[in-house]
Amino acid sequence: MAKILFVMTGADQWTLADGSKHRTGFWADEAVVPYEAFKAAGHEITVATPGGVVSPVDPASLAPQANGGAEAAANIRAVVDGAAEFRRPVALTDVTVDDFDAVYVPGGHGPMEDLAVDADSGRILTRAVESGLPVGVVCHGPAALLAAVREDGTNAFAGYRITAFTNAEERLVGSAENARWLLQDRLTEAGLKVEVGEPWAPHIEVDRNVVTGQNPASAGPLAAELLEKLS
């Protein structure tokens, strides 16, 4: 049995370029699909958030149209509402990375608001990648990689080949024009090598101990790859 740390957002709003707030949180199936895969494999999950707050779910991610229908949406909601780990997170400040065997960061626009600048999240991810732990990050979750900055100012993931929610996908959902910054651009500026796949199609990248997924459809393949690394 492995111990897997889920680093999750505590933000329920995303601040846009014009100062307005967009309702957000984590994207439900990006947390639920890997959660169910890891639990089915017998692994233990701990959720950690800024301040130990319950991570808010983006309401849009619970809609039937976001989940392939009403039945699938109901199943996703049941896990979000019922999983004890989601209801009882620990604070990022209290996390000792060496207690875990892997780290996973789901997306949603929430990480763009808080994890991108959270020093404790950055500390955890820096320690994880440098110690060789499997690190999985999907969709907007790679925003958290921006805070993984070493004392010399370099990003701990610089030079890694990754993928993330793309500029094209941000434009397609109508969020690009009013975003303060775009994830693909900021990751590239930090020295990460962002590989872009077709919008909405499953796409993962594996580079050493880091597994990244481009969008919600990539959460399942990413979870499978992490399970391989833990086997």
Side-chain angles (χ1 to χ4, degrees), residues 96-203:
T96 300
V97 180
D98 295 344
D99 292 341
F100 296 93
D101 301 296
V103 178
Y104 175 67
V105 188
H109 279 111
M112 301 267 286
E113 185 76 13
D114 60 358
L115 299 184
V117 293
D118 188 282
D120 288 301
S121 175
R123 168 185 61 82
I124 289 165
L125 289 165
T126 299
R127 174 61 181 165
V129 72
E130 291 184 343
S131 62
L133 292 186
V135 176
V137 197
V138 71
C139 200
H140 289 92
L145 305 182
L146 296 171
V149 179
R150 302 186 186 97
E151 290 185 3
D152 65 2
T154 60
N155 190 287
F157 291 83
Y160 276 81
R161 187 183 70 257
I162 69 158
T163 190
F165 201 71
T166 65
N167 291 354
E169 287 167 319
E170 206 74 79
R171 284 192 290 270
L172 287 168
V173 298
S175 300
E177 186 174 344
N178 201 21
R180 290 182 296 168
W181 46 271
L182 296 177
L183 182 57
Q184 180 184 337
D185 292 345
R186 188 64 64 86
L187 290 166
T188 301
E189 291 166 4
L192 288 76
K193 301 175 181 177
V194 183
E195 299 291 338
V196 175
E198 290 296 317
W200 317 126
H203 173 214

Side-chain angles (χ1 to χ4, degrees), residues 3-231:
K3 294 183 177 181
I4 303 173
L5 178 70
F6 275 41
V7 175
M8 297 182 66
T9 183
D12 64 1
Q13 293 184 322
W14 178 35
T15 305
L16 301 176
D18 63 4
S20 64
K21 305 285 187 178
H22 174 73
R23 183 77 182 273
T24 189
F26 71 90
W27 198 257
D29 65 348
E30 293 174 13
V32 170
V33 170
Y35 172 88
E36 291 192 306
F38 298 153
K39 293 287 280 190
H43 300 314
E44 178 182 319
I45 293 170
T46 297
V47 173
T49 65
V53 303
V54 173
S55 187
V57 62
D58 188 323
S61 71
L62 297 173
Q65 58 267 32
N67 293 284
E71 183 178 354
N75 291 337
I76 291 286
R77 181 185 287 272
V79 177
V80 169
D81 292 342
E85 295 90 344
F86 293 146
R87 312 274 27 110
R88 295 196 296 269
V90 302
L92 290 171
T93 52
D94 296 333
V95 169
T96 300
V97 180
D98 295 344
D99 292 341
F100 296 93
D101 301 296
V103 178
Y104 175 67
V105 188
H109 279 111
M112 301 267 286
E113 185 76 13
D114 60 358
L115 299 184
V117 293
D118 188 282
D120 288 301
S121 175
R123 168 185 61 82
I124 289 165
L125 289 165
T126 299
R127 174 61 181 165
V129 72
E130 291 184 343
S131 62
L133 292 186
V135 176
V137 197
V138 71
C139 200
H140 289 92
L145 305 182
L146 296 171
V149 179
R150 302 186 186 97
E151 290 185 3
D152 65 2
T154 60
N155 190 287
F157 291 83
Y160 276 81
R161 187 183 70 257
I162 69 158
T163 190
F165 201 71
T166 65
N167 291 354
E169 287 167 319
E170 206 74 79
R171 284 192 290 270
L172 287 168
V173 298
S175 300
E177 186 174 344
N178 201 21
R180 290 182 296 168
W181 46 271
L182 296 177
L183 182 57
Q184 180 184 337
D185 292 345
R186 188 64 64 86
L187 290 166
T188 301
E189 291 166 4
L192 288 76
K193 301 175 181 177
V194 183
E195 299 291 338
V196 175
E198 290 296 317
W200 317 126
H203 173 214
I204 67 169
E205 292 288 338
V206 183
D207 188 349
R208 289 159 279 181
N209 55 320
V210 178
V211 185
T212 49
Q214 180 173 312
N215 46 38
S218 307
L222 187 154
E225 185 66 32
L226 272 186
L227 286 172
E228 283 291 320
K229 288 188 172 296
L230 288 168
S231 63

